[in-house]
Amino acid sequence: MSDTTNEKPLRIVLAKLGLDGHDRGLKVVARMLRDGGLEVIYLGLRQTTDQVIAAVEQEDADAIGISMLNGGHLALSQKMINAINEAEAGVPLIVGGIVPEADVEKLNEMGVAAILGPGSSSEDCVASVRAAVAALA
Amino acid sequence: MNQPTSGLRGLPVSDIFTRACDGDRRAIGRVLSIAERGGTDSIELGELAHKLTGNAHVVGITGAPGAGKSTLTGRLAATLAASGRRVAVLAIDPSSPVTGGAILGDRIRMDEHNYGTGTFIRSMATRGQGGGLAVAVPAAIRILDAVGFEIVIVETVGVGQIEIDIAGTADTTAIVVTPGWGDAVQANKAGLLELADVFVVNKADRPGASDSRRDLELMLDLSDTSEWRPDIVLTVGTEGDGVDDLITELARHRQHLADAGQLEARRRRRAQHELRVRAGDALANRLKDALNSAEGQSIITAMASGGASPASSLDRLLDELYPN
Amino acid sequence: MADAPGDNTQAREEWQEAFDASKMRDVDFQTMSGVPVDPVYGDAPYPGQYPYTRGVYPSMYRSRLWTMRMFAGFGTAEDTNGRFKELLRSGGTGLSTAFDMPTLMGRDSDHDWALGEVGKAGVAIDTLADMEDLFADIDLSGVSTSMTINGPSPILMAMYVAVAENSGVERSKLGGTIQADILKEYQAQKEYIFPPRPSMRLITDMMKFTSAEMPRWHPISISGYHIREAGSTAAQELAFTLGNGFAYIEAAIEAGLDVDDFAPRLSFFFNSHLDFFEEIGKFRAARRIWARWLKERYGAKTEKALLMRFHTQTAGVSLTAQQPEINIARVAIQALAGVLGGTQSLHTDSFDEALALPTEKAARIALRTQQIIAHETGAANVADPLGGSDYVEWMTDEMERQAEAIFAHIDNLGDGSMLEGAYAGIDNGYYVGEIADAAYRFEREINAGRRIVVGVNDFTEGDDSDNDTLYIGAEVEEYQLKRLGDVKQKRDAEAVQSALNNLVAVASTPDQNTMPAFIDAVKAYATEGEIVDALEGVYGTYVEKAII
């Protein structure tokens, strides 16, 4: 009979934490994910971790993506992870931007689900988000 | 699609709904998804929720792209929240018809004044499918009403018919234009003016605001306003100017609906619209099934080969659809 | 479009006269094989002649090489002060200051947002005390200081004046540049604080103040660099930047300044990217457009007002994290394009900048790259050596044609005002949308393999990722927080409050110049963040519309 269930597209909150204003990468990724069939809740620049969590709750998002270029990735990723845990938001964190090789492992240990460096393709981005969400399910 | 783990994972719908009624924002977020998605859970949720509805004032805000609706909606919500009202916003953006994906960016401007105020903001994509939004939005409104929001603002871009219908089925519909003659004319062409319970000339600090007001007055003079004549409110969304006037006007319209016994009529109109869309979807699905069945295929073959007339073929198909 | 053919003989004679009057560097202008070369080839108009397509000076690099300006700043004010003094000891006269992100955004080091960014990408300045440390024991009347800051530029400008005056140097003796190009912040770099119009008012106040009281100061450096880095095309970089330049000219005229006095104080800052000939065409077109618009639209009468002088930096965004050493080749090609395009100064990026802040070795290689171009290639011997090439002339015309189409759009948005057009384009998302579209198109071409980025989507073998990178520890942040706490404790809290109140009052009154109130506030040791907070109370905070 009739199918009344709509497949819910994955929803991801994209934001930049802190003061860094480089949003070229985040905007390109937003479009890539949209073209990959995701719903992107775009928060843009200068968000706090609390704002990101509030958006995740109200939007019932499946994942969080943050991007960083100014070397603040360790401190800010940790802050975001803490906020996710504290709120029991249960969503994976994906980090994009410039992450030195030496820090990749630190981020992984921290609980970052995926890291998207410069030159990541559209397919990489979409696949990383889907895999990160599936891994938590 | 699997849901990620969270404190809500594995809970029955009724428990999540209870939490939502207690004000748990994550639970509200989740039940909105369930309602939006449809299916068995949403039917159960609908049964729980609809008994609790009928209290919220549903306000539709629409207008051309670039009219400053998000900013104005944000200000409106924040001002209402500051006066102690419980406010929810549904911000509706189009999805890509090809991929089904969407970028929902209205939160940015709304968060500016609402973060920390208790205002609940939910972005919804149109998700392409026919009538999907016409079902999902009323469902979401019912949830927000049921969990205790006093004012539910639905913001859409007044371009597509579906968006216009949604705005038009609110209790009170505000149409936003910007200074300049062209905007009001466009709104008129799009059929927006007839829907208006309140007119807003936003960005009223720009030249031409009083001209726009005059143009709108002129149009109203030519229409039948015996029951209700929409007021024209001048606002500057970025500054918050005129938002208090808008609130007064929205409340005045709501009072008028109650006094004139129109509230009921509005809700009937909304119910009828939703029912029509839901029925249309259901019937379309049945029709598709019928046409794809062996009997359906044989009816098509018979008509195509000239062996059966269109009228007799339709009779056979209707028998297939409604066996009794 | 193209340069009108003039009377060649007369133009040549005039050029020769101007050339002969220029001083020359003491080097032999000949090829490596000993063949002497002329200072310029081809037809009029020659370098130094309107519309200056071929260069702003008749002798170009034969008189003076471009300035090899390397931008630096890190850690605490004291650290950078040490760097400055070393630079001055070794004969430098120009100090170029990079500020950290909290300073650039008008936030104190103890602000929530500042976490992890204090002293990271530049020096941290919270109060006048930090500025005093930054310039301690440096005679400010004898140096030229460049400050790369935009949103809070009046505060930093006020601090610079205050440091000078407290050490007995009059403000009229101060020379240098402050970037203060606020329009491109809303369009591309995103380091804005207040909404566009109040920001423009503050910048205009600063222009008026420096025009009246600081004759040696350049109040704006109009920057396309960040527009390009955000993803624009070459023509968009050219057009948005010059369009902003016209907007500042209009603002200055509105504020009662004379275009012939004001225009010569402006300087420009462009990106040099990888498409060699497109970049050269862009630089040549930039000079021509500026001269024509200033003369024809804004009625400038003096030659100085028509000359576009610019700084160039190689494209940071073109550097790859994969096989980072090959970035040295990219930077060399970009730097050569800047020189052949006639730049007045040049910053070359370090090869490891896609990974982290540059190491000392990487920064040295970048400087050496410029020195090779200057001293080994012969590129500095002949002015505009590519002028007259059919391709380069066509590309120059094409860049101009595309730019003019964009100007027409902006002018139309502003009903005949480039300044109003800039505001309108910011408000309706025109700039941000155009840039995002271009960036996405570029990225998709790479993804689809239609555009090859060596080491990224082709020729990927050999990435050993075995490079040292520079780390800045958390000590800087700790030190800075303590310093800020000490200053706050020692200062006269009442004086701070009264200076802030006065600033707010002046800022709320359209006709008064805010600069004196800024100077009073910083002299009372109000922090940068306190000043910004006070002004946000008057002007609000800008939030970008989501244009993606």
Side-chain angles (χ1 to χ4, degrees):
Chain A
M1 255 288 288
S2 65
D3 171 24
T4 52
T5 308
N6 304 321
E7 176 85 347
K8 181 191 169 228
L10 280 188
R11 286 163 76 85
I12 183 167
V13 168
L14 289 188
K16 279 189 79 86
L17 302 174
L19 293 165
D20 168 25
H22 294 93
D23 58 1
R24 173 183 180 159
L26 192 71
K27 286 187 168 182
V28 167
V29 167
R31 290 185 180 208
M32 285 177 171
L33 294 177
R34 176 198 62 194
D35 293 351
L38 274 76
E39 287 181 2
V40 177
I41 294 116
Y42 186 84
L43 300 184
L45 297 171
R46 302 187 182 109
Q47 297 292 304
T48 63
T49 53
D50 289 347
Q51 280 175 298
V52 173
I53 292 293
V56 166
E57 291 182 349
Q58 294 173 28
E59 302 288 357
D60 194 27
D62 304 295
I64 297 171
I66 57 176
S67 128
M68 281 167 290
L69 271 180
N70 270 16
H73 51 272
L74 286 179
L76 291 171
S77 299
Q78 186 64 62
K79 208 174 166 192
M80 192 69 246
I81 290 275
N82 293 346
I84 292 173
N85 292 339
E86 201 174 307
E88 293 181 39
V91 291
L93 175 65
I94 295 139
V95 171
I98 296 174
V99 174
E101 195 63 33
D103 290 344
V104 168
E105 203 175 319
K106 288 182 199 163
L107 289 178
N108 286 333
E109 277 169 21
M110 211 179 268
V112 171
I115 297 161
L116 294 170
S120 298
S121 73
S122 187
E123 293 74 23
D124 291 347
C125 293
V126 175
S128 297
V129 175
R130 291 197 184 280
V133 172
L136 275 191
Chain B
M1 185 71 43
N2 287 319
Q3 293 296 327
T5 50
S6 82
L8 300 171
R9 190 158 176 259
L11 286 182
V13 174
S14 55
D15 285 9
I16 303 179
F17 181 68
T18 307
R19 289 190 184 203
C21 291
D22 291 343
D24 177 338
R25 298 168 84 76
R26 197 157 32 122
I28 301 171
R30 179 61 48 83
V31 289
L32 283 170
S33 296
I34 294 170
E36 207 181 339
R37 192 164 63 239
T40 341
D41 283 352
S42 83
I43 293 168
E44 185 186 347
L45 184 63
E47 294 299 328
L48 292 167
H50 92 267
K51 294 172 227 158
L52 302 174
T53 59
N55 304 310
H57 182 198
V58 181
V59 175
I61 294 190
T62 194
K69 293 180 298 298
S70 302
T71 305
L72 181 66
T73 303
R75 283 283 190 177
L76 174 64
T79 309
L80 287 164
S83 69
R85 313 297 295 274
R86 295 194 62 198
V87 188
V89 177
L90 282 178
I92 295 159
D93 263 341
S95 310
S96 155
V98 184
T99 66
I103 296 177
L104 307 168
D106 282 349
R107 274 198 92 84
I108 297 186
R109 295 228 146 171
M110 293 191 189
D111 257 356
E112 189 185 350
H113 298 288
N114 284 288
Y115 177 69
T117 61
T119 303
F120 190 98
I121 300 168
R122 175 65 167 234
S123 314
M124 277 177 91
T126 54
R127 294 193 182 166
Q129 63 276 72
L133 204 58
V135 174
V137 172
I141 291 173
R142 266 196 299 277
I143 296 290
L144 292 167
D145 185 354
V147 303
F149 287 104
E150 296 164 273
I151 295 166
V152 177
I153 305 172
V154 183
E155 186 228 335
T156 65
V157 179
V159 280
Q161 190 55 45
I162 296 171
E163 286 90 341
I164 292 171
D165 286 349
I166 286 164
T169 50
D171 297 331
T172 303
T173 301
I175 303 292
V176 185
V177 300
T178 48
W181 164 249
D183 220 24
V185 173
Q186 286 308 319
N188 196 16
K189 274 195 200 154
L192 285 174
L193 296 197
E194 298 151 33
L195 295 177
D197 300 310
V198 181
F199 281 110
V200 180
V201 179
N202 193 30
K203 304 188 182 181
D205 53 344
R206 297 196 179 169
S210 51
D211 295 346
S212 290
R213 179 203 281 269
R214 202 193 48 228
D215 297 339
L216 289 169
E217 295 283 8
L218 220 75
M219 286 186 198
L220 287 172
D221 288 345
L222 299 173
S223 338
D224 172 18
T225 51
S226 50
E227 280 230 12
W228 172 259
R229 185 179 170 105
D231 206 358
I232 298 161
V233 181
L234 269 55
T235 60
V236 182
T238 50
E239 308 294 322
D241 297 350
V243 169
D244 287 333
D245 297 342
L246 176 57
I247 290 172
T248 308
E249 202 44 34
L250 294 173
R252 191 172 77 88
H253 182 255
R254 159 94 181 196
Q255 192 57 48
H256 158 75
L257 289 179
D259 294 347
Q262 289 285 310
L263 206 50
E264 207 43 47
R266 289 276 169 146
R267 293 192 170 159
R268 281 183 60 90
R269 195 165 85 188
R270 194 152 76 222
Q272 182 178 337
H273 179 73
E274 186 184 350
L275 208 51
R276 192 172 61 229
V277 175
R278 280 180 180 270
D281 279 358
L283 291 175
N285 278 321
R286 277 178 75 165
L287 180 59
K288 197 172 77 188
D289 292 344
L291 287 172
N292 286 336
S293 70
E295 176 66 8
Q297 290 297 311
S298 102
I299 299 171
I300 293 168
T301 311
M303 179 171 152
S305 67
S309 73
S312 67
S313 303
L314 176 61
D315 283 342
R316 266 182 80 189
L317 184 62
L318 288 174
D319 284 344
E320 175 66 14
L321 273 169
Y322 305 104
N324 296 320
Chain C
M1 282 288 258
D3 299 328
D7 180 339
N8 221 37
T9 323
Q10 194 196 335
R12 182 83 196 185
E13 278 168 14
E14 284 170 8
W15 170 82
Q16 190 68 50
E17 203 176 305
F19 178 83
D20 291 342
S22 313
K23 70 174 171 64
M24 293 297 137
R25 285 187 293 131
D26 182 21
V27 288
D28 301 321
F29 298 108
Q30 58 183 19
T31 70
M32 184 178 265
S33 319
V35 183
V37 296
D38 286 347
V40 68
Y41 290 85
D43 296 331
Y46 292 102
Q49 293 179 344
Y50 182 83
Y52 311 101
T53 316
R54 305 197 64 188
V56 286
Y57 304 118
S59 53
M60 287 305 289
Y61 304 134
R62 283 204 176 193
S63 290
R64 199 172 152 266
L65 286 169
W66 62 91
T67 307
M68 299 178 197
R69 180 178 292 150
M70 304 296 281
F71 179 65
F74 63 98
T76 64
E78 256 178 285
D79 297 335
T80 307
N81 177 257
R83 190 57 89 90
F84 280 172
K85 284 188 197 152
E86 199 182 293
L87 210 97
L88 294 174
R89 267 195 299 276
S90 57
T93 55
L95 305 176
S96 182
T97 323
F99 298 100
D100 72 356
M101 190 55 78
T103 306
L104 291 174
M105 288 299 300
R107 311 293 156 177
D108 289 341
S109 299
D110 58 2
H111 191 283
D112 263 1
W113 278 346
L115 175 73
E117 307 207 44
V118 176
K120 279 273 161 64
V123 60
I125 303 289
D126 292 318
T127 66
L128 183 58
D130 298 324
M131 205 71 161
E132 286 162 350
D133 289 351
L134 183 61
F135 294 105
D137 309 317
I138 295 173
D139 175 11
L140 295 185
S141 64
V143 296
S144 155
T145 301
S146 150
M147 291 188 278
T148 303
I149 192 153
N150 297 280
S153 51
I155 304 173
L156 275 291
M157 183 77 247
M159 286 185 183
Y160 192 72
V161 170
V163 169
E165 292 183 346
N166 287 349
S167 67
V169 175
E170 289 167 38
R171 56 180 76 153
S172 62
K173 298 262 164 48
L174 297 175
T177 309
I178 192 155
Q179 194 166 75
D181 173 12
I182 196 68
L183 291 172
K184 63 98 169 55
E185 297 301 335
Y186 304 101
Q187 298 160 352
Q189 186 167 246
K190 316 294 173 71
E191 287 164 12
Y192 38 65
I193 301 172
F194 316 114
R197 285 174 197 266
S199 289
M200 198 68 180
R201 182 247 166 123
L202 296 178
I203 300 288
T204 310
D205 283 354
M206 192 161 62
M207 296 193 303
K208 280 162 89 170
F209 177 84
T210 54
S211 289
E213 310 209 17
M214 301 171 68
R216 295 179 54 218
W217 196 264
H218 297 279
I220 302 186
S221 166
I222 306 159
S223 309
Y225 184 81
H226 320 86
I227 294 171
R228 191 66 176 282
E229 289 287 294
S232 81
T233 65
Q236 286 168 341
E237 176 197 355
L238 173 64
F240 294 170
T241 310
L242 268 66
N244 290 345
F246 302 144
Y248 293 121
I249 291 280
E250 290 180 13
I253 293 173
E254 262 177 44
L257 299 174
D258 180 342
V259 66
D260 285 302
D261 289 340
F262 177 68
R265 294 162 160 269
L266 297 178
S267 61
F268 287 81
F269 172 20
F270 288 112
N271 199 304
S272 191
H273 218 299
L274 277 166
D275 194 313
F276 194 67
F277 294 101
E278 189 175 54
E279 293 306 298
I280 293 166
K282 178 186 77 183
F283 297 130
R284 298 176 90 246
R287 280 189 294 267
R288 184 155 83 200
I289 296 167
W290 186 252
R292 285 211 175 128
W293 275 64
L294 265 285
K295 185 176 180 173
E296 290 169 14
R297 175 143 168 171
Y298 299 114
K301 290 184 182 61
T302 60
E303 181 176 51
K304 273 173 88 178
L306 306 181
L307 300 184
M308 163 182 277
R309 279 157 302 198
F310 62 90
H311 172 66
T312 303
Q313 180 171 339
T314 58
V317 76
S318 72
L319 305 178
T320 59
Q322 297 85 345
Q323 303 184 45
E325 303 86 346
I326 65 175
N327 290 325
I328 296 171
R330 291 192 175 98
V331 167
I333 293 163
Q334 295 166 353
L336 183 60
V339 169
L340 296 182
T343 192
Q344 275 58 61
S345 63
L346 182 62
H347 170 106
T348 31
D349 288 329
S350 302
F351 73 86
D352 56 356
E353 285 184 57
L355 302 168
L357 286 174
T359 59
E360 219 174 298
K361 181 177 174 184
R364 190 167 61 241
I365 292 173
L367 177 60
R368 295 286 179 262
T369 304
Q370 293 200 42
Q371 290 159 340
I372 289 170
I373 294 172
H375 303 291
E376 295 187 17
T377 65
N381 286 346
V382 179
D384 189 35
L386 299 184
S389 143
D390 285 349
Y391 179 38
V392 169
E393 294 297 343
W394 176 86
M395 184 61 87
T396 307
D397 291 350
E398 175 61 16
M399 286 290 113
E400 184 179 13
R401 187 189 65 75
Q402 289 190 33
E404 287 289 349
I406 294 173
F407 297 146
H409 180 77
I410 298 170
D411 204 27
N412 188 39
L413 282 178
D415 283 332
S417 154
M418 293 298 283
L419 175 59
E420 287 302 321
Y423 288 140
I426 289 166
D427 186 59
N428 74 12
Y430 165 69
Y431 297 100
V432 171
E434 290 286 300
I435 292 170
D437 285 347
Y440 191 51
R441 192 164 56 238
F442 189 81
E443 214 61 42
R444 283 177 65 112
E445 287 167 6
I446 294 171
N447 260 317
R450 303 299 304 164
R451 181 182 291 281
I452 288 173
V453 180
V454 175
V456 174
N457 63 354
D458 206 348
F459 314 108
T460 51
E461 316 79 36
D463 190 14
D464 50 19
S465 43
D466 183 23
N467 284 282
D468 294 336
T469 48
L470 183 76
Y471 266 93
I472 291 179
E475 317 84 62
V476 173
E477 188 156 341
E478 284 162 30
Y479 171 89
Q480 190 62 25
L481 290 178
K482 187 175 175 310
R483 175 97 174 112
L484 176 59
D486 289 350
V487 172
K488 277 186 183 171
Q489 205 154 42
K490 269 192 246 160
R491 65 187 185 172
D492 175 352
E494 256 175 59
V496 172
Q497 198 49 54
S498 115
L500 288 176
N501 291 346
N502 177 50
L503 177 61
V504 164
V506 174
S508 315
T509 318
D511 298 336
Q512 290 188 41
N513 195 308
T514 46
M515 276 312 292
F518 276 116
I519 294 172
D520 290 345
V522 303
K523 280 185 173 171
Y525 293 90
T527 70
E528 189 196 17
E530 287 165 347
I531 294 173
V532 165
D533 282 350
L535 290 176
E536 280 178 318
V538 182
Y539 297 140
T541 311
Y542 183 72
V543 178
E544 184 184 73
K545 200 180 342 195
I547 300 289
I548 309 138

